[in-house]
Amino acid sequence: MLRRINEDIKAVLRQDPAARNSLEVILTYPGLHAVWGYRIAHFLWQVKLKLAARIYSNWIRALTGIEIHPAAKIGRRFFIDHGMGVVIGATAIVGDDVMIYHDVTLGARTGGTGKRHPTIGNNVVIGAGARVLGDISVGNGVKIGANMVVTKSVPASTNVDSSEFFAI
């Protein structure tokens, strides 16, 4: 567990040039606090303490402004920079070394049961205000520009900076 915490801190230091040292990151990065809170809530969810998981995740949302459903699956070294307004839905899957900025939604396009949220590959960057919606896949190494709305799957190593991946 301590190794995972250290990985998260190093990810912030590596990806945010404004981060000056580990202590500052530990004390002042709400994106990191939200990820750590998610990991606790996800553990509670996995051991069938689902109400406790939802209550705890709502408490973390109130503290950080970042909502991550405890059923979502999030990989290692996940970094949320300037995280206010981030929403990650219950069936979302996020790979390793992913970075997202504020006001990003990994959301559903429909109600109902089953897989409704996106699957995000490894080494993906999602810009501020982007919406990635539905049961789609975003390949490894993708960069999604700010305020993009993505509703179609994106192949690996693609830059999404136009409406090419949007369909109603």
Side-chain angles (χ1 to χ4, degrees), residues 94-164:
V94 178
D96 296 335
D97 302 300
V98 172
M99 179 176 178
I100 65 175
Y101 289 90
H102 63 281
D103 197 29
V104 166
T105 299
L106 304 181
R109 292 185 70 193
T110 61
T113 59
K115 181 86 165 86
R116 303 180 327 272
H117 301 91
T119 298
I120 308 298
N122 299 325
N123 300 300
V124 171
V125 176
I126 304 175
R131 307 290 185 250
V132 184
L133 305 173
D135 180 15
I136 63 171
S137 295
V138 174
N140 295 336
V142 167
K143 292 182 178 20
I144 298 174
N147 297 313
M148 290 287 101
V149 177
V150 181
T151 59
K152 292 182 183 176
S153 290
V154 181
S157 303
T158 302
N159 289 334
V160 179
D161 54 10
S162 70
S163 61
E164 176 182 355

Side-chain angles (χ1 to χ4, degrees), residues 63-83:
L63 290 174
T64 65
I66 298 166
E67 180 175 344
I68 306 173
H69 193 284
K73 295 178 179 146
I74 296 177
R76 297 168 73 170
R77 298 172 302 275
F78 177 56
F79 177 38
I80 303 170
D81 196 10
H82 303 290

